[in-house]
Amino acid sequence: MHSSVKLIAENTDQPIYFYVSSYQGRYSFVMWNETTPYGVVHHDDLQYLFFMKFKFPFFENDDPEIPTVELMTSMWSNFVQTGQPVSPALAKNVTWEPYLPEKDNYLEISEEPRMKTGLYPDRMQKWDSLFPLNSK
């Protein structure tokens, strides 16, 4: 994904928004047992955007996941409406800046969302060496 984002950002004049979901709720697609999530795994963030009754319970208004549900649905709906994923819930604490390859910036979606730079640099350098891409 990181290489794809970089490649797209280098070849478009449109803003690219990149994020990593690190919010650990009570549920995950991968669980150690009935009550303990393995950690945040690929596509766990989808449970905060869509109700998936085959896997997860419906979140009630007082559930601890609700702030993340509200944040993510607000960002995604704002992006659909305006082209920018800036929600009122997010804007008071942090601005989601478009991705710039030279900054390697992304939004970490957690209990306290924040902009960061350098997504797992050692891992990404290894992947880039194994699968180099031709840039502009």
Side-chain angles (χ1 to χ4, degrees), residues 5-7 22 28 30 43-44 53 90 104 111 117 129:
V5 168
K6 223 162 115 177
L7 189 61
S22 64
S28 174
V30 180
H43 66 273
D44 268 356
K53 66 180 175 182
L90 184 63
D104 193 25
E111 287 189 36
T117 59
S129 73

Side-chain angles (χ1 to χ4, degrees), residues 27-96:
Y27 309 100
S28 174
F29 277 93
V30 180
M31 302 285 284
W32 282 111
N33 55 40
E34 292 294 316
T35 60
T36 308
Y38 177 75
V40 181
V41 299
H42 178 66
H43 66 273
D44 268 356
D45 50 337
L46 296 180
Q47 68 182 299
Y48 309 117
L49 292 170
F50 308 104
F51 173 49
M52 294 179 268
K53 66 180 175 182
F54 68 92
K55 184 74 176 166
F56 305 111
F58 183 79
F59 295 128
E60 301 295 338
N61 288 338
D62 60 346
D63 283 340
E65 292 83 4
I66 289 300
T68 300
V69 168
E70 290 174 348
L71 174 68
M72 290 187 68
T73 55
S74 177
M75 288 189 300
W76 267 245
S77 64
N78 279 327
F79 183 75
V80 168
Q81 294 170 13
T82 69
Q84 296 190 3
V86 180
S87 72
L90 184 63
K92 65 184 173 191
N93 297 319
V94 66
T95 300
W96 189 351

Side-chain angles (χ1 to χ4, degrees), residues 6-7 10-11 132-136:
K6 223 162 115 177
L7 189 61
E10 290 171 349
N11 291 286
L133 295 174
N134 293 330
S135 296
K136 280 183 181 180

Side-chain angles (χ1 to χ4, degrees), residues 76-125:
W76 267 245
S77 64
N78 279 327
F79 183 75
V80 168
Q81 294 170 13
T82 69
Q84 296 190 3
V86 180
S87 72
L90 184 63
K92 65 184 173 191
N93 297 319
V94 66
T95 300
W96 189 351
E97 301 166 8
Y99 177 81
L100 297 173
E102 60 274 11
K103 285 177 72 176
D104 193 25
N105 56 317
Y106 62 96
L107 178 68
E108 178 184 55
I109 298 177
S110 59
E111 287 189 36
E112 296 292 328
R114 62 180 179 245
M115 288 298 300
K116 295 179 94 174
T117 59
L119 177 66
Y120 307 117
D122 294 339
R123 293 183 199 176
M124 296 309 134
Q125 185 178 20

